[in-house]
Amino acid sequence: MFRITILLLLLFASCGAVAQKKIEISYEDFEHLYDHYSENDSTALPAVAQHMKKAKKENNIRELLYALENGLYYSPRREDKLRYADMALHEALRSGNPDHITRAYLGKGIVYYYNYKRFKPALDAYLQAHHYSKSSRNQYLQNKVLYHLGVVKSYLGFYEEALDHFNLCLLFFERKLTEDQQHPTARFNHRKGLLNTLHQLAVCYEHLGQGTKADEMISAGLQNIGGDKAFFQEQGYLLKSRGISYFRAGQYDAALRDFTRSNILLKAPEDFAWIAVNNFYAGRCYLQTGKPDLALPYFIKNDSTFNVHHFIHPEIRPQYEYLIDYYKKEGQPEKELYYTQQLLKADQYLAGDFKHLTTHLHKSYDNQRLLEDQARLIQQQNHSLRVIIFLTAGSIGLILFLVIQRSRSRRTVKQYRKLLENLKNSDDLYQFSPVETPMPEKKQEVSEKTVAQLLEKLKTFEDKEMFTSNKVTLAWTAQKLGTNSSHLSYVVNKHKGMSFTHYVKHLRIRYITHLLYKDPKYRRYTISSLAEECGIASRQTFSKQFQEVNHISPMDYIKQLNAEQPVKG
């Protein structure tokens, strides 16, 4: 009844023909109205439009952003979701409020990740949200950002790192749910956060081969939900994870029941990625029980999803290997060729957005064999020259990509070895050769005594790591060392063989390079945190300077260090 009343008020409020009687709808009325709609329900959008209109008229940025977030939530089309996310980000940046900006970047990242399955822009948005969340006192917001960054890491296969994120979120949500007198909306959000965190923990533990811990997370989540229908989507995720657990244990009938129930629950939010994982394992259940004809439709359905969304979860890649083998044995070269081409497309997709995952993916069909099979099948079918040229070009492109990747990997390892050797053999951490032609010396009245004193002070500047301050400039340093900018610049150019700016850059990069080598805890830091640690203003500048000085990116350096000296705990 309440919903009908508010809808009528909205109708009258938006109708210009209504007599001059002013109808006022409160923000609380909008909040109550939204409670009656489900996600992706476009019938809520007229209310969103009126909510936005009221907030703009009253210059209420908080309510405007709330209306835009609801526009994103209730829009069924991903293009409209992104449009609302962009509008929210524009308004948030205009406000300058770190809480608003954090929420807006997070919302945009979620749209890219969950609706578009575009990893790169999603991660960029999440990292921006993380940056602004540091200035926020909103712990829920900070943990929400932490959670979504963990989701990305888990999706990329960095399960150990993702666990650190999710365990912190778990502690936060569990603590919040023990507090009394919480607003119902806050309690709902905290409970939802807890359930999603338990699901992601189960995913990580399952991939790390820790089935017992995964089962504990699943049981805790399902027990928390009970019969509450408000968390049907979270129940779908947990049933999916429990089905995989049953599959691992050889309980195929129980697994199939959970996959079926999970797909029903995930159909409404259109989570095609996890539905495809359910289908993949359902197909495998039928393969394990000797019913390949029942497995086939699940894999074919997933292929249709790949064609529609241009997205594939790395976990379901092996379905194409099965389909290729199946149609090869059945003597159907047309379908064998089709699924061979689909597997190549899947690998190209994975190599594009998930380069660092390609070497870890289990491939019983290597690319060379795929290319040979493709050529054989094309000959059998006597395809036109145009098709052959097209496929050959694609194959060459893929091979070139793999060659370039291998060459880059070799260069990275070589440079890493050289850098490590310098670190091990260097008696003085900050002793380095000139990297640029010294600047022309200006005629200056600088005595030998003054030069010697300044060199001693520069040694103190290095030993006390004063260069890690973000305030460092030539004038600031000269003041700290009790000299003037002209004398300091002269001594650095003459005795360090480089300008003062390059000198500070090399000190900072040498410092953080050594720190990462000696103390594994720093390898858990984000690039932004490492930049801050050594006094560099931004992660972009840090990455650029690290590459310039060490001839290797910070991520590649950390990756190589972890491969040889794994971080414990």
Side-chain angles (χ1 to χ4, degrees), residues 336-337 340 344 366-379 395 399:
E336 184 188 349
L337 171 61
T340 299
L344 282 168
D366 63 23
N367 283 295
Q368 187 57 42
R369 179 178 170 186
L370 286 174
L371 296 174
E372 290 170 359
D373 285 349
Q374 179 175 258
R376 172 180 59 80
L377 291 163
I378 289 173
Q379 280 185 344
S395 301
I399 292 169

Side-chain angles (χ1 to χ4, degrees), residues 195-208:
L195 293 171
N196 280 301
T197 300
L198 288 170
H199 165 241
Q200 290 295 341
L201 282 167
V203 171
C204 291
Y205 284 130
E206 189 263 322
H207 281 286
L208 291 169

Side-chain angles (χ1 to χ4, degrees), residues 31 35 62 66 103 138-141 144 172-194 231:
E31 186 173 348
D35 289 340
R62 182 176 174 277
Y66 180 50
R103 287 179 67 94
N138 188 327
Q139 290 185 331
Y140 170 73
L141 200 54
K144 194 173 179 182
F172 170 76
F173 289 124
E174 285 183 332
R175 177 171 58 80
K176 296 301 290 184
L177 287 170
T178 61
E179 296 177 3
D180 296 327
Q181 298 180 339
Q182 275 193 359
H183 188 279
T185 301
R187 178 167 289 279
F188 175 85
N189 288 335
H190 291 140
R191 193 173 166 199
K192 189 180 183 74
L194 174 69
F231 300 103

